[in-house]
Amino acid sequence: MASCSKDDDPKDNDLFIGKYKGRVSYISGDETISNDDGSVTVVKVGDKYTFNFSDGIPSIKDKEIKKGQNSFTLDWDEGSIITIDESNLSINMIKEGAVWSANLKR
């Protein structure tokens, strides 16, 4: 598996693999996971993205964003949004009481 160069913006590619590093967290019920040195590996095939978190945080899979866009809201709870470009990844998600959060750089 090869990753894309740090200058590649996922919105411009049909295939993209990149690792972003920084703060990740996840809260669900009594479970809290947080790491200031965590990571998310992003895999994009076509218009579908998968976000694989470090530290045992559940992945966010098969989220669709149209080619040429860097930000998308999700059909989850109000305020869930992911923003991604060649340098930054921001995730703020809520689903069924679980909360994913990430603020990362590549």
Side-chain angles (χ1 to χ4, degrees):
M1 185 183 310
S3 63
C4 297
S5 84
K6 290 191 178 201
D7 294 334
D8 283 345
D9 190 326
K11 75 175 180 167
D12 298 328
N13 296 288
D14 287 327
L15 177 61
F16 175 87
I17 300 168
K19 188 171 189 176
Y20 293 76
K21 297 179 181 180
R23 179 161 177 60
V24 295
S25 66
Y26 174 76
I27 301 169
S28 180
D30 293 336
E31 179 181 24
T32 299
I33 302 169
S34 181
N35 186 350
D36 289 338
D37 294 315
S39 65
V40 173
T41 299
V42 178
V43 179
K44 178 189 178 199
V45 177
D47 291 338
K48 295 205 177 203
Y49 284 77
T50 295
F51 302 89
N52 296 311
F53 286 76
S54 63
D55 303 290
I57 296 172
S59 296
I60 299 169
K61 297 180 179 180
D62 296 327
K63 297 304 166 197
E64 189 169 337
I65 179 174
K66 299 296 180 199
K67 189 171 182 177
Q69 296 180 345
N70 282 100
S71 179
F72 53 107
T73 56
L74 300 170
D75 56 351
W76 292 6
D77 289 347
E78 187 77 25
S80 292
I81 188 167
I82 295 174
T83 304
I84 185 171
D85 64 24
E86 67 275 7
S87 302
N88 300 291
L89 172 61
S90 175
I91 299 173
N92 293 297
M93 309 245 333
I94 302 168
K95 183 176 184 181
E96 298 170 356
V99 178
W100 289 257
S101 180
N103 188 5
L104 309 121
K105 297 208 176 281
R106 184 166 155 240

